[in-house]
Amino acid sequence: MKIRILGSGAGGGFPQWNCNCNNCKRIRAGEMNGKPRTQSSIAVSSDNENWLLINASPDIRAQLEAFPAIQPKHGLRDTGIKAILLMDSQIDHTTGLLMLREGKPLDIYCSEMVKQDLTTGFPVFNMLSHYCTVNHHPIPIDGSGFTIPAIADLRFYTRALKSKAPPYSPHRHDPHEGDNIGVVIEQISTGKKLFYSPGLGEIEGHVMTAMQSADCLLLDGTFWTEDEMIEQGLGKKKAAEMGHLPQSGAGGMIEILNNMPNARKILIHINNSNPILDEDSEPHQILAENGIEIAYDGIEINL
């Protein structure tokens, strides 16, 4: 199984277009040892030719242009994207669908709640119907396994996570199972597993089980601290209120991942405010000392 990290940043990317925080200001000025990042999305394949796109960020066009394996190879109109899996209906994970409107029919796998959001509050599916066919494939959210016909040798196990729907959603204040999911991707022929969850606010029992079963963990790396946005004057909400588990502190991601010594551990969906983006920072060093990697655009993982 090959996993390509197309984008590793949180919503807005890094630097964020309108942000003058310490990180964004220094990366623009060339005064910070770090890497710019586009908004989070990955692609997965078992044959390096037929790819499952997981989330479609607003930066999808640039991400595809930077990835030759997924580019057109057969005929005048072509793509290596054979299907799309959506983890949620957040704007930074779905707006890129509009950039794919020139394509063949889009086979999109997502929960019923995500479909509802994308046909009501943010009617991307309705908009795309004027340009291309959208084939919606419902997915189980109870951990049942399923396969995607165009993606050989991979089986998917999706589970609902505790989370809120996006602010635009008609049920923003009435959470439902399926607003956000995590996924275990298993290569059938080898048994190797990836657990992917870019938005993870709580380690529920089934989440812990999924993490313990995986050979590689690609997890929410949005914030370093619970009060990060507040302390930097960038917002009024804590990490938990935004559906993210910070890395540091009691019960944080570092503490949890230290109980999983045999898995490769990588953080993705990193917010522009997070000090780990500075590769000379103490938080960056702490992650390295704990065997935790920080995703950047273009990484390829082979399992």
Side-chain angles (χ1 to χ4, degrees), residues 8-302:
S8 54
F14 177 61
Q16 183 172 303
W17 69 277
N18 67 337
C19 187
N20 201 32
C21 72
N22 185 51
N23 281 346
C24 290
K25 182 178 182 178
R26 289 188 299 132
I27 197 75
R28 286 194 187 99
E31 299 172 352
M32 174 178 161
N33 181 17
K35 301 177 181 67
R37 287 165 166 84
T38 58
Q39 295 167 89
S40 73
S41 180
I42 68 171
V44 181
S45 176
S46 62
D47 59 12
N48 205 37
E49 182 174 353
N50 299 294
W51 293 86
L52 173 69
L53 176 67
I54 305 184
N55 291 335
S57 91
D59 301 315
I60 187 65
R61 185 185 179 280
Q63 292 168 349
L64 298 181
E65 284 300 303
F67 185 28
I70 210 167
Q71 294 169 7
K73 295 180 178 63
H74 309 290
L76 290 175
R77 301 284 190 184
D78 182 50
T79 177
I81 300 172
K82 303 306 178 185
I84 302 164
L85 174 65
L86 300 176
M87 308 295 286
D88 53 48
S89 55
Q90 298 288 344
I91 284 177
D92 52 315
H93 287 160
T94 57
T95 305
L97 293 172
L98 297 173
M99 303 301 105
L100 305 178
R101 65 190 181 279
E102 300 96 345
K104 298 176 181 179
L106 300 178
D107 285 289
I108 301 177
Y109 291 73
C110 66
S111 72
E112 181 58 33
M113 300 316 300
V114 168
K115 179 190 175 186
Q116 286 187 26
D117 282 347
L118 298 182
T119 53
T120 56
F122 184 34
V124 173
F125 284 5
N126 305 347
M127 296 159 67
L128 285 170
S129 69
H130 296 280
Y131 300 91
C132 63
T133 302
V134 174
N135 297 323
H136 171 246
H137 303 269
I139 60 174
I141 55 175
D142 61 356
S144 302
F146 65 95
T147 57
I148 296 175
I151 309 297
D153 198 29
L154 297 181
R155 183 180 288 114
F156 305 86
Y157 305 86
T158 47
R159 290 294 300 257
L161 306 178
K162 287 186 178 179
S163 182
K164 288 184 178 180
Y168 72 76
S169 172
H171 65 276
R172 165 68 170 180
H173 301 293
D174 180 23
H176 288 68
E177 285 197 341
D179 288 334
N180 180 30
I181 63 169
V183 60
V184 172
I185 305 174
E186 177 185 25
Q187 184 154 18
I188 298 169
S189 61
T190 66
K192 294 290 186 179
K193 293 180 181 179
L194 167 77
F195 178 61
Y196 178 53
S197 180
L200 185 58
E202 182 177 336
I203 308 298
E204 303 167 76
H206 65 265
V207 174
M208 180 62 74
T209 299
M211 292 171 67
Q212 291 172 336
S213 75
D215 300 283
C216 182
L217 301 166
L218 195 51
L219 300 175
D220 188 337
T222 309
F223 299 119
W224 176 250
T225 63
E226 176 69 7
D227 298 326
E228 186 170 306
M229 295 292 282
I230 299 170
E231 290 176 352
Q232 296 188 34
L234 299 173
K236 298 180 179 180
K237 293 182 178 180
K238 295 183 177 182
E241 295 176 279
M242 300 173 70
H244 300 289
L245 182 70
Q247 285 106 55
S248 64
M253 194 69 78
I254 295 174
E255 182 177 294
I256 290 165
L257 292 180
N258 279 341
N259 294 317
M260 300 173 192
N262 298 322
R264 184 177 179 182
K265 295 162 279 195
I266 308 172
L267 300 178
I268 195 170
H269 196 271
I270 303 157
N271 201 57
N272 63 82
S273 59
N274 196 325
I276 67 174
L277 290 167
D278 182 345
E279 297 178 19
D280 294 327
S281 68
E282 182 180 4
H284 190 281
Q285 181 61 33
I286 290 172
L287 289 179
E289 291 170 354
N290 283 275
I292 301 172
E293 302 174 52
I294 304 170
Y296 56 86
D297 295 13
I299 289 180
E300 292 192 357
I301 303 163
N302 293 291

